[in-house]
């Protein structure tokens, strides 16, 4: 059986999920479900990033023990994904001792390779990003993604990783055996690599909330080194998952591109572990021209969408507005319009017309295979195009046919009426097969209505809002 291993970033535990996090999780879920539908053996991993200064500071502010704080917040992510019917096979938490053990082992390999040295770090650090900042990261002297007070001056003794040692090898890999998608991001990373690479700190002296370094227990592993290893560690400590490394696909947002396409690969090269096959970096959800984020106070929560549009409505809207190559402007009003137009008035209305007019008609099963181009588009995160094609081809066409033929004006046994209704029912079955990964519940409902014969429909599929 072909294997498919897909991951999402692990989310910082200081935040509760908004639809920026959700879009990556839904995207991974669509890919996982489609690959299962194609009879592949899938491993879909998501989780939470629980160490580091930012999480420790949050817990302190709330006046509770850091681990208790994590135990309190992790379920908000687990439950958010449950309420969206996310089909992850495992939920990893970086405070899991099994993960911590693999982190220690991997770092030890890097140490044994001779790829670390102790030096003084002096410069700016963004606690929001958990990142050491360079000149080019700054806007008005601070990190543009977080409030200015999150950018702090640091001066500490750290262990450094010889990232620069791997520059040539990475350039070569990206040029010849590319793993960075989409193309724009590949170019961006290549240009930055060619401009020169500095070594990077891999430990922290004054952050106790982290995994102790195996060779210097007074220091903790820099949270990003710890977090990136989750993709690999899960395949090591979970039973029967070893065969899934290297990952087929890491999904991530654009502000964490460098970590996932340079630092992670260099760590793996140093530890002599195979590299992930592909990374896909998406853009941001924006609200009124600003990045959606908790700190800006403009976040839409996944629960808000589920309450308004139902699980499948929420999944559908996220998929269609997914910020693949460009940022995507979203808002509740826009979501409502899209929901009404596509789901209530189009797909839902088609099913209800077919069930009402065609009740009792036999629908023979027509064998068909999922179109290669559709699979390719989903694999390349082009959800809007892929789903748009399904709608055009099967849903819009059928509604138009009904409007043309007007079967409601024909006698029940009229051949033309029977023909158009069975044709529409078959198109709906195909649409349901295509949309299974996007709207699993809806797809099942449609198929149930049309299984063998057309059944009368109690209520609607998507009530109008
Ligand atoms: N903990 C790190 C990731 C470690 S992975 C080894 C992290 N966490 S995060 O919670 O801040 O962000 C997780 C993901 O959510 C990132 O991919 C980020 O791009 C995504 N999003 C956060 N806000 C977003 C939008 N407004 N729009 C789309 N995605 C965005 O970074």
């Amino acid at each position: 059986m072909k294997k498919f291993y897909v991951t999402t970033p692990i989310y910082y535990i200081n935040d509760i999920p908004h639809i920026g996090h959700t879009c990556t999780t839904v995207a991974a879920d669509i890919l996982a479900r489609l690959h299962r539908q194609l009879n592949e053996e899938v491993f879909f991993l998501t989780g939470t990033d629980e160490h580091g200064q930012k999480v420790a500071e949050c817990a302190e502010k709330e006046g509770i023990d850091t681990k208790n704080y994590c135990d309190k917040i992790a379920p908000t992510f687990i439950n958010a994904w449950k309420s969206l019917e996310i089909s992850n096979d495992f939920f990893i938490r970086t405070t899991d001792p099994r993960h911590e053990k693999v982190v220690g082992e991997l770092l030890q390999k890097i140490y044994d390779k001779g790829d670390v040295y102790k030096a003084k770090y002096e410069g700016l650090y963004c606690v929001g990003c958990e990142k050491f900042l360079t000149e080019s990261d700054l806007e008005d002297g601070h990190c543009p993604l977080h409030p200015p007070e999150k950018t702090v001056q640091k001066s500490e003794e750290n262990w450094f990783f010889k990232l620069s040692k791997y520059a040539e090898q990475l350039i070569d890999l990206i040029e010849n055996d590319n793993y960075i998608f989409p193309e724009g991001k590949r170019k961006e990373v290549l240009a930055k690599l060619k401009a020169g690479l500095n070594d990077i700190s891999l430990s922290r002296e004054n952050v106790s909330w982290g995994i102790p370094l195996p060779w210097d227990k007074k220091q903790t592993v820099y949270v990003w080194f710890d977090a990136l290893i989750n993709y690999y560690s899960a395949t090591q400590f979970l039973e029967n998952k070893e065969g899934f490394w290297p990952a087929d696909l890491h999904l991530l947002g654009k502000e964490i591109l460098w970590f996932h396409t340079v630092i992670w690969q260099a760590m793996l090269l140093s530890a002599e572990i195979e590299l992930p096959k592909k990374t896909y970096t998406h853009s941001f959800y924006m609200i009124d021209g600003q990045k959606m984020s908790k700190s800006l106070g403009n976040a839409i929560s996944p629960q808000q969408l589920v309450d308004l549009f139902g699980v499948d409505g929420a999944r559908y809207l996220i998929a269609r507005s997914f910020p693949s190559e460009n940022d995507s402007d979203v808002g509740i009003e826009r979501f409502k319009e899209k929901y009404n137009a596509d789901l209530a008035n189009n797909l839902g209305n088609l099913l209800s017309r077919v069930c009402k007019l065609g009740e009792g008609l036999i629908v023979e099963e027509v064998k068909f295979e999922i179109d290669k181009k559709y699979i390719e588009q989903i694999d390349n995160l082009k959800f809007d195009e892929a789903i748009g094609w399904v709608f055009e081809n099967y849903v819009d066409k059928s509604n138009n046919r009904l409007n043309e033929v007007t079967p409601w004006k024909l006698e029940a046994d009229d051949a033309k009426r029977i023909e158009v209704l069975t044709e529409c029912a078959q198109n709906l079955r195909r649409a349901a097969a295509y949309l299974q990964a996007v709207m699993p519940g809806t797809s099942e409902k449609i198929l149930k209505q049309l299984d063998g014969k057309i059944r009368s429909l109690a209520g609607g599929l998507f009530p109008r809002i």
Side-chain angles (χ1 to χ4, degrees):
M1 228 177 170
K2 200 172 159 206
K3 287 188 159 69
F4 181 71
Y5 175 24
V6 60
T7 68
T8 75
I10 48 173
Y11 304 102
Y12 283 129
I13 199 101
N14 68 304
D15 217 343
I16 49 169
H18 57 63
I19 65 168
H21 313 116
T22 308
C23 74
T24 327
T25 312
V26 168
D29 190 57
I30 292 173
L31 283 154
R33 285 176 183 272
L34 180 65
H35 283 266
R36 286 191 200 107
Q37 199 180 348
L38 297 170
N39 285 320
E40 292 173 27
E41 199 188 334
V42 170
F43 179 32
F44 166 17
L45 182 71
T46 187
T48 37
D49 190 351
E50 306 190 357
H51 287 129
Q53 183 173 351
K54 161 152 103 170
V55 172
E57 282 177 5
C58 271
E60 202 179 293
K61 235 189 243 156
E62 296 221 350
I64 54 174
D65 168 75
T66 319
K67 180 64 167 71
N68 287 344
Y69 172 79
C70 294
D71 291 345
K72 193 180 108 185
I73 308 287
T76 61
F77 280 87
I78 295 173
N79 293 333
W81 305 153
K82 275 200 185 125
S83 74
L84 281 160
E85 289 173 21
I86 299 299
S87 65
N88 54 298
D89 298 290
F90 187 65
F91 188 96
I92 192 167
R93 297 181 53 189
T94 52
T95 49
D96 186 326
R98 297 171 298 176
H99 164 77
E100 294 178 341
K101 182 166 170 271
V102 179
V103 170
E105 288 163 1
L106 201 147
L107 283 170
Q108 186 65 45
K109 282 191 188 164
I110 295 179
Y111 179 87
D112 293 343
K113 188 75 171 277
D115 282 349
V116 305
Y117 60 91
K118 210 167 184 182
K120 188 154 184 122
Y121 174 83
E122 203 141 18
L124 294 173
Y125 185 85
C126 173
V127 182
C129 294
E130 292 279 17
K131 178 173 146 180
F132 299 93
L133 301 167
T134 61
E135 266 311 308
S136 63
D137 292 325
L138 301 176
E139 246 169 57
D140 300 328
H142 65 85
C143 161
L145 289 177
H146 293 97
E149 65 272 17
K150 294 280 175 199
T151 298
V152 292
Q153 182 69 34
K154 289 263 177 227
S155 168
E156 51 179 54
E157 277 277 299
N158 286 158
W159 286 92
F160 276 73
F161 170 55
K162 293 183 185 166
L163 183 61
S164 57
K165 179 177 160 186
Y166 293 96
E168 282 308 313
Q169 211 174 334
L170 287 172
I171 291 172
D172 186 55
L173 272 167
I174 298 167
E175 280 182 337
N176 299 308
D177 194 11
N178 177 41
Y179 54 81
I180 308 177
F181 294 84
E183 178 59 17
K185 294 291 182 266
R186 184 179 88 99
K187 287 208 181 102
E188 192 181 319
V189 172
L190 258 183
K192 207 170 149 191
L193 271 172
K194 285 181 176 170
L197 207 50
N198 290 324
D199 292 342
I200 169 182
S201 161
L202 69 64
S203 70
R204 301 293 311 276
E205 191 179 29
N206 299 313
V207 178
S208 59
W209 184 239
I211 304 172
L213 267 191
W215 62 89
D216 179 359
K217 299 263 190 284
K218 286 199 288 298
Q219 301 239 349
T220 56
V221 177
Y222 168 41
V223 63
W224 267 101
F225 275 65
D226 165 357
L228 287 162
I229 295 172
N230 92 87
Y231 303 130
Y232 173 71
S233 73
T235 66
Q236 302 305 297
F237 69 71
L238 291 174
E239 251 175 71
N240 305 327
K241 297 292 185 215
E242 301 98 336
F244 281 98
W245 191 260
D248 293 278
L249 179 63
H250 291 326
L251 294 179
L252 51 129
K254 64 180 173 181
E255 86 282 32
I256 55 179
L257 169 69
W258 188 250
F259 285 108
H260 280 83
T261 55
V262 172
I263 296 174
W264 179 219
Q265 278 69 15
M267 287 165 68
L268 290 167
L269 286 174
S270 170
E272 298 179 12
I273 296 171
E274 263 187 278
L275 303 193
K277 293 177 200 155
K278 184 172 168 180
T279 59
Y280 185 97
T281 303
H282 64 73
S283 297
F284 287 154
Y285 269 149
M286 308 291 279
I287 292 206
D288 304 323
Q290 275 190 310
K291 183 193 176 202
M292 183 188 301
S293 77
K294 186 187 170 191
S295 36
L296 292 170
N298 60 2
I300 299 176
S301 78
Q303 196 54 46
Q304 251 175 298
L305 291 193
V306 173
D307 290 344
L308 272 168
F309 307 111
V311 180
D312 281 354
R315 293 173 60 102
Y316 177 84
L317 294 168
I318 289 169
R320 287 221 69 166
S321 61
F322 184 76
S324 32
E325 298 206 24
N326 299 310
D327 289 343
S328 172
D329 263 304
V330 291
I332 293 292
E333 277 318 304
R334 269 180 208 226
F335 281 142
K336 277 187 189 162
E337 278 167 30
K338 187 77 178 152
Y339 168 93
N340 279 334
D342 293 7
L343 298 181
N345 299 342
N346 199 3
L347 179 63
N349 188 34
L350 176 63
L351 183 71
S352 106
R353 294 210 280 181
V354 167
C355 289
K356 195 164 145 212
L357 298 165
E359 193 185 338
L361 286 180
I362 305 292
V363 197
E364 271 169 48
E365 196 166 340
V366 189
K367 284 246 171 297
F368 84 107
E369 270 182 22
I370 301 280
D371 190 271
K372 285 224 169 61
K373 192 158 168 227
Y374 177 82
I375 299 170
E376 209 180 284
Q377 280 176 330
I378 297 278
D379 273 342
N380 289 307
L381 291 290
K382 295 189 189 303
F383 301 129
D384 190 40
E385 284 100 318
I387 300 169
W389 174 82
V390 174
F391 267 72
E392 265 165 45
N393 223 23
Y394 298 114
V395 184
D396 302 353
K397 245 189 212 158
S398 299
N399 268 325
N400 292 342
R401 283 283 290 149
L402 287 180
N403 296 343
E404 251 167 57
V405 179
T406 59
W408 50 89
K409 291 186 184 158
L410 304 172
E411 295 294 329
D413 58 357
D414 189 303
K416 192 96 195 140
R417 172 175 164 135
I418 295 173
E419 187 199 306
V420 75
L421 287 169
T422 40
E423 180 194 314
C424 290
Q426 263 149 0
N427 280 343
L428 269 167
R429 290 179 60 107
R430 288 198 182 87
Y434 274 107
L435 297 176
Q436 195 182 309
V438 182
M439 297 191 282
T442 300
S443 164
E444 198 184 312
K445 265 192 215 158
I446 296 176
L447 291 173
K448 235 187 194 157
Q449 285 304 124
L450 308 170
D451 184 25
K453 66 172 196 223
I454 302 176
R455 291 176 176 76
S456 93
L457 179 68
L461 204 51
F462 294 104
R464 213 160 275 134
I465 290 175

